[in-house]
């Protein structure tokens, strides 16, 4: 059984560790500058706790770099001599390219971008396999790791800014809409706990309904709720009158422009 080793066991690293341990396909090992983060993972996931970066790299067949982006170059400088050609390096550090990592290592490299719902095993993760050193077996291995925390899509590295905009930032847009509907629920007289429970289930149920009708356009699903001369269509008309659709698209494009600006 191969060992997936994580350098960095914060929120996202821990979420992936939980998913991988549930899949029971790999062993999991971890190192973090804050050892207290490892204790619960050891108890819950059978994590192999390492006391140094060097110990972790030596134990791992697949090395997941899960530290902050500004820390990646220093980390790779410290451990590059230990990373042999038979290992796979996976980086989840936003904005760190395959080319940058290959400046330090000569093994196969994949860069991936998970989103925060991975923390509840409902993530959507972009996988970039642009490194020609990655074999089909390598790619299958990487995909197994990230399918354990949701779903994954294979994209070229050039598409990562668009993915980051839509899926990485996307939960914030969803929570914004959820928050707005929550305030509406309070105005209608619902109590906090009632509104929270009902609206969260509304979002979960609506997404599952869309998934169950994969060939049905979202517009048709929306119109299925709108009866002629009914109440829902009046609400839809109000959203259009206030240009909500255009505001959402504009917010997405503004986020994308910022992503592109930060890459320059």
């Amino acid at each position: 059984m191969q060992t997936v080793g994580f350098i960095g066991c914060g929120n996202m690293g821990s979420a992936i560790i939980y998913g991988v341990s549930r899949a029971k396909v790999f062993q999991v090992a971890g190192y973090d500058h804050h050892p207290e983060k490892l204790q619960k993972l050891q108890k819950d996931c059978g994590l192999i706790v390492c006391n140094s970066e060097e110990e972790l790299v030596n134990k791992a067949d697949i090395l997941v770099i899960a530290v902050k982006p500004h820390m990646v170059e220093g980390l790779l400088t410290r451990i590059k001599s230990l990373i042999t050609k038979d290992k796979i390096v996976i980086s989840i550090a936003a904005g760190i390219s395959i080319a940058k990592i290959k400046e330090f290592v000569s093994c196969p490299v994949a860069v991936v971008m998970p989103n925060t719902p991975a923390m509840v095993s409902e993530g959507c993760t972009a996988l970039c396999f642009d490194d020609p050193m990655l074999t089909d077996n390598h790619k299958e291995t990487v995909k197994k790791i990230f399918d354990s925390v949701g779903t994954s899509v294979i994209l070229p590295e050039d598409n990562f800014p668009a993915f980051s905009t839509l899926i990485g930032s996307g939960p914030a847009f969803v929570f914004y809409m959820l928050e707005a509907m929550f305030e509406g629920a309070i105005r209608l007289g619902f109590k906090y706990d009632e509104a929270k429970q009902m609206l969260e289930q509304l979002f979960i149920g609506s997404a599952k309904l869309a998934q169950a009708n994969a060939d049905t356009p979202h517009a048709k699903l929306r119109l299925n709720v709108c009866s002629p001369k009914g109440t829902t269509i009046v609400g839809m008309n109000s959203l259009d009158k206030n240009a909500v659709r255009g505001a959402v698209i504009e917010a997405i494009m503004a986020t994308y422009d910022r992503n592109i600006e930060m890459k320059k």
Side-chain angles (χ1 to χ4, degrees):
M1 185 179 287
Q2 290 179 299
T3 298
V4 184
F6 292 77
I7 296 185
C9 298
N11 289 336
M12 191 58 71
S14 294
I16 301 166
I17 289 169
Y18 274 102
V20 172
S21 69
R22 283 192 295 269
K24 300 186 184 302
V25 177
F26 305 96
Q27 289 183 314
V28 285
Y31 170 76
D32 195 278
H33 287 302
H34 302 282
E36 65 276 7
K37 292 182 179 180
L38 305 177
Q39 295 170 4
K40 191 172 191 308
L41 291 168
Q42 184 180 36
K43 179 181 177 183
D44 294 348
C45 307
L47 182 78
I48 301 168
V49 173
C50 297
N51 296 312
S52 67
E53 296 166 345
E54 293 78 7
E55 182 185 355
L56 186 284
V57 175
N58 287 331
K59 285 186 184 297
D61 301 296
I62 303 144
L63 177 64
V64 179
I65 297 173
V67 299
K68 300 293 185 184
H70 71 274
M71 300 170 65
V72 171
E73 189 166 342
L75 169 64
L76 289 172
T77 299
R78 293 191 299 273
I79 65 174
K80 62 182 181 180
S81 64
L82 303 172
I83 301 176
T84 53
K85 290 184 178 181
D86 59 331
K87 296 184 186 292
I88 305 172
V89 170
I90 303 170
S91 171
I92 68 169
I96 304 299
S97 67
I98 289 175
K100 171 57 69 175
I101 297 170
K102 296 289 273 190
E103 291 177 10
F104 299 88
V105 304
S106 56
C107 66
V109 172
V111 293
V112 308
M113 182 177 291
N115 68 347
T116 54
M119 295 165 69
V120 290
S121 296
E122 292 291 348
C124 182
T125 302
L127 312 175
C128 176
F129 295 146
D130 288 357
D131 182 2
M133 288 187 71
L134 288 163
T135 66
D136 288 343
N137 284 339
H138 292 147
K139 295 173 185 178
E140 184 181 350
T141 296
V142 175
K143 196 169 189 307
K144 280 181 182 176
I145 291 170
F146 290 93
D147 281 349
S148 72
V149 289
T151 189
S152 60
V153 294
I154 300 170
L155 295 175
E157 198 165 10
D158 287 346
N159 279 9
F160 268 41
F163 180 88
S164 174
T165 297
L166 198 62
I167 307 301
S169 298
F173 294 115
V174 172
F175 293 137
Y176 185 89
M177 182 62 71
L178 183 57
E179 180 186 4
M181 294 185 72
F182 179 83
E183 290 187 14
I186 299 301
R187 286 189 64 178
L188 289 171
F190 289 105
K191 296 177 181 178
Y192 177 94
D193 290 343
E194 292 173 335
K196 189 174 187 297
Q197 179 183 12
M198 292 188 299
L199 288 171
E200 287 170 358
Q201 183 57 44
L202 170 66
F203 275 64
I204 292 168
S206 299
K208 287 186 176 179
L209 181 62
Q211 289 178 330
N213 293 271
D215 296 330
T216 304
H218 293 152
K220 178 66 167 64
L221 293 174
R222 176 174 61 83
L223 289 173
N224 286 347
V225 190
C226 299
S227 302
K229 292 188 176 181
T231 57
T232 307
I233 192 64
V234 175
M236 293 294 99
N237 294 159
S238 178
L239 290 173
D240 286 341
K241 180 180 178 181
N242 287 283
V244 172
R245 184 189 303 267
V248 170
I249 295 170
E250 194 171 293
I252 289 170
M253 297 314 298
T255 305
Y256 178 74
D257 289 344
R258 178 60 174 160
N259 268 319
I260 296 300
E261 179 185 328
M262 291 178 68
K263 284 182 68 68
K264 293 179 179 178

